[in-house]
Amino acid sequence: MYTLAVCAEMVFRDLPIEERARRIHEAGFQVEIWDWTRHDLSALAQTPAEFSSMTGYIRGTLTDPDGAAELLRTAGESIKAAEHLGCPRLNLHGTGLDGEGLPVVPVTGEATGDMWITAHRTLTRLAELGESAGVTFTLENLNTAVDHPGVPFARAADTYALVAAVDRPGLRMNLDLYHAQIGEGNLIELIRRAHGAGLIGEVQVADVPGRCEPGTGEINYPAVARALTDLGYDGTVALEAWPSGDSHTAMERFRAAFTL
């Protein structure tokens, strides 16, 4: 059976991050964070929370050699931060995101062949770093229509292709179903394909439209839960969503959607 986690960046936002982590833990979930450089890692480590994922780089991009070098360098720093929290997964995007979720280095149009080659080379090196350190890097798909215009390698089809091409245990997909629903749809078939290839490192969820908890939009998350269970998926399913009301209710609606 899969494990449930909640992103601390999006719930209990009037509280310090350590208190958010504590409350998520007390509710029975693992905890995810984003940019670890904005937090007191020692304070987080003193909470009883079990951390399941955090951002795996500080700066950089997969599209050009200079950006790739910076991504690799800061990924090394992220590995040390993950060790401090006992966090097994480090999340990646095609390029760094600013405070509004927009790409620091946007790409206009389709990624070029050279960009794909650079991304493959860089992700291979990241996978090797992860394997040496005992952590897994996960490449997250994003949507460019609503939240992240200009991000390269954003579609689930792109992240699938890159992770499959690297084909190393140190790199897996962070399959975000909110983003995939906006960009591609056909979620259960996408899950079946990625799971069948052994490429899923984590599944993230929120409903569409609005990016709130399951049950607030159009995605049939109980059907998604049944598909994951039928496939034997035993990884993490994480709520990365804005609560439509209070945070406790949002987490319980998430739990209900994924409890068969």
Side-chain angles (χ1 to χ4, degrees):
M1 187 65 176
Y2 42 74
T3 300
L4 299 181
V6 173
C7 177
E9 310 284 352
M10 303 178 80
V11 297
F12 304 116
R13 298 187 72 219
D14 58 331
L15 299 175
I17 193 72
E18 304 86 42
E19 182 60 24
R20 300 183 209 179
R22 188 173 291 106
R23 293 197 182 194
I24 292 169
H25 169 78
E26 290 172 351
F29 301 99
Q30 293 185 355
V31 177
E32 302 203 342
I33 61 173
W34 290 341
D35 180 3
W36 56 268
T37 66
R38 298 188 293 111
H39 304 314
D40 183 337
L41 295 183
S42 294
L44 283 171
Q46 290 172 10
T47 71
E50 183 177 353
F51 294 90
S52 61
S53 179
M54 57 196 290
T55 303
Y57 65 106
I58 304 170
R59 293 173 299 278
T61 177
L62 294 175
T63 56
D64 65 274
D66 289 342
E70 182 68 357
L71 191 151
L72 285 163
R73 188 186 70 77
T74 61
E77 297 180 36
S78 297
I79 287 173
K80 294 177 182 177
E83 290 173 349
H84 196 56
L85 294 181
C87 185
R89 284 183 299 281
L90 291 167
N91 200 43
L92 304 168
H93 313 100
T95 184
L97 304 176
D98 66 17
E100 301 299 319
L102 298 176
V104 175
V105 184
V107 171
T108 302
E110 295 293 321
T112 66
D114 284 344
M115 290 178 181
W116 279 92
I117 291 170
T118 299
H120 178 270
R121 182 181 300 120
T122 307
L123 290 168
T124 299
R125 292 181 64 188
L126 284 165
E128 293 168 352
L129 283 175
E131 289 158 22
S132 295
V135 298
T136 302
F137 283 95
T138 58
L139 182 60
E140 182 183 3
N141 60 291
L142 302 172
N143 81 79
T144 57
V146 176
D147 299 287
H148 306 289
V151 170
F153 314 114
R155 298 175 304 163
D158 298 334
T159 58
Y160 181 100
L162 284 167
V163 173
V166 171
D167 192 25
R168 295 189 65 110
L171 179 70
R172 289 290 180 263
M173 297 173 68
N174 182 350
L175 182 54
D176 191 305
L177 299 182
Y178 162 78
H179 293 304
Q181 175 70 1
I182 293 173
E184 295 152 277
N186 201 16
L187 298 184
I188 290 178
E189 183 56 35
L190 176 59
I191 290 167
R192 287 172 177 158
R193 181 181 180 220
H195 182 272
L199 299 182
I200 299 179
E202 178 175 335
V203 175
Q204 288 186 332
V205 303
D207 222 329
V208 177
R211 202 176 184 180
C212 295
E213 72 273 9
T216 58
E218 67 192 29
I219 301 176
N220 185 347
Y221 272 118
V224 169
R226 286 193 296 273
L228 290 169
T229 300
D230 290 346
L231 289 167
Y233 176 70
D234 60 359
T236 297
V237 177
L239 178 68
E240 192 182 48
W242 307 112
S244 62
D246 70 89
S247 295
H248 282 294
T249 300
M251 293 193 303
E252 289 310 311
R253 294 185 79 175
F254 166 55
R255 192 197 317 269
F258 283 89
T259 301
L260 301 181

